[in-house]
């Protein structure tokens, strides 16, 4: 458990301290994040949080303190997608994010 952390790479060496980190604590068993981008720009880290209810978080990959979205934001509960599940890694394709749950697959994308 802990936060997601970003490290810089300079001259093929990883920095010894994080350049940014999330405020969200990801409890056991942690998160298995995935990255999407538009070519070499607009990179997003998609990180599922495993708990009694799973939460999908999206962070600006250049600054992990900037959360772009999470599936708990909508007051109506529209984006809730199921129980937490160990070792789920989002899959991103064709502008959609697919996340496995204990009983289904949740699909996230832009609202029409």
């Amino acid at each position: 458990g802990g936060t997601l952390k970003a490290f810089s790479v300079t001259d093929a060496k990883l920095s010894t301290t994080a350049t940014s980190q999330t405020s969200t604590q990801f409890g056991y068993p942690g998160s298995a994040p995935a990255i999407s981008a538009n070519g070499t720009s607009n990179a997003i880290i998609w990180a599922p949080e495993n708990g009694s209810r799973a939460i999908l978080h999206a962070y600006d990959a250049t600054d992990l303190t900037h959360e772009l979205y999470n599936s708990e934001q909508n007051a109506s509960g529209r984006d809730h997608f199921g129980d937490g599940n160990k070792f789920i890694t989002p899959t991103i394709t064709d502008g959609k994010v697919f996340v496995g749950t204990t009983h289904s697959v949740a699909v996230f994308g832009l609202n029409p």
Side-chain angles (χ1 to χ4, degrees), residues 77-98:
R78 174 195 66 207
D79 299 339
H80 295 171
F81 66 97
D83 298 338
N85 191 11
K86 295 180 186 174
F87 313 118
I88 53 177
T89 303
T91 299
I92 303 101
T93 186
D94 293 330
K96 293 183 175 62
V97 180
F98 299 83

Side-chain angles (χ1 to χ4, degrees), residues 31-81:
S31 184
I35 301 171
S36 67
N38 184 9
T40 59
S41 61
N42 302 320
I44 298 172
I45 304 287
W46 299 94
E49 181 181 355
N50 181 26
S52 59
R53 179 164 55 213
I55 303 170
L56 179 63
H57 297 268
Y59 297 97
D60 177 344
T62 62
D63 180 4
L64 295 179
T65 65
H66 184 209
E67 185 174 36
L68 304 170
Y69 164 83
N70 76 58
S71 59
E72 292 287 297
Q73 286 177 321
N74 187 282
S76 71
R78 174 195 66 207
D79 299 339
H80 295 171
F81 66 97

Side-chain angles (χ1 to χ4, degrees), residues 2-6 20-26 59 64-65:
T3 61
L4 291 180
K5 295 179 175 105
S20 68
Q21 64 183 11
T22 64
S23 59
T24 303
Q25 293 281 329
F26 292 86
Y59 297 97
L64 295 179
T65 65

